[in-house]
Amino acid sequence: MKKKNSTFKAAVLFNLKKPLKIININYPDKLKKGQIFIHLKSSSICGAQANEINGIKGPDKYLPHMMGHEGYGKVINVGKSVKKVKKGDNVILHWRKGYGIEADAGLYYSKKFGKINSGKVTTFSEYTTVSENRVTKIKISSKLKKIAPCFGCSLSTSYGLVFKEAKMKINNRLLIIGSGGLGLSIAAMARSKGIKNIMFVDKNFNNYKTKFIKSLRLNNIKNYMHKKIEDCKGNKFNHIIDTTGDIKILEKAFNIMTGNSKLILVGQPKKNKTLKLKNALSMFDGKTIFASDGGLINPSKDLQKISDYVNKNFQYFKNFISHDIFLKDVNKGFTKLKHGNALRISLKF
């Protein structure tokens, strides 16, 4: 398994709230039961990684460690008992569990930095060791290659949210808070279902976001982009979807809900933050609050179906990737996300 004197590059988190370091890592000596070694073709930067760097869940006891949870790559080798894929297969890497062995997390070594931890799946590296239940082989059309890694998180989550968790209907009215990669993928999924009444709240509608929203051809699009939630008051929404995780924003979103509205949390709030609801009695009017569980997606069963669906409705997803960057520039990608100057950013190797 190990290539003599060979290393590969990886973006590693050493300290919270600090840039990732691009370092050289040794190839693993051998694979354990249920592990798969993959050569990454592409990955993408998700807001979840920005939250991870910022430590929103609290102290990180696994530092230093690898990063990334959605990718597209080729199987180089498989460990004992792996039956799901074989050498040479092209696969999607995903954070949700599919079928297969729940293998040990990968463990790496760097000549300069020593032991480098990992998880069941990581994608910010040229090569990676992944648990069998975090990869799925699917057929990807040529026009979907650019957005292929996004099936590992954003596109699968948005599909599951629209079709499984919220069970949206064509005549529904949506408010999406946060028009980054996840928010706009939810909008594209809803639009592909036929929903045209979608409103957005975002502090920065840059050219990428505006272009994407206009390409959806929604009803009254000029009146559907707002910088403040308060500007949306008076509208009746079936679903209010928050991708920011900001407690203050969630409190304001609750205040504009009407009877039978659903407030859906997709972005994760910081640890130990308290949500204070004004007029909680209004819950008896039919208001519902729930957190998305990754769209309730089973990657092994659903990813091929989702890929086929996006391929059929590609007109709504073709501008989903706003930037292509190389691994060495990963921190520049996070800076773009922080300032709202991107949608999904693709990492190349």
Side-chain angles (χ1 to χ4, degrees), residues 283-298:
M283 294 287 288
F284 287 87
D285 295 334
K287 294 181 181 180
T288 303
I289 302 176
F290 70 89
S292 171
D293 183 11
L296 298 176
I297 292 298
N298 180 327

Side-chain angles (χ1 to χ4, degrees), residues 197-213:
N197 293 309
I198 307 175
M199 191 175 288
F200 302 87
V201 170
D202 196 282
K203 60 184 179 181
N204 179 17
F205 286 103
N206 60 45
N207 291 336
Y208 301 107
K209 296 176 181 179
T210 301
K211 178 181 178 181
F212 191 94
I213 292 171

Side-chain angles (χ1 to χ4, degrees), residues 47 108 114 236 317:
Y108 303 91
K236 293 184 178 181
F317 300 90

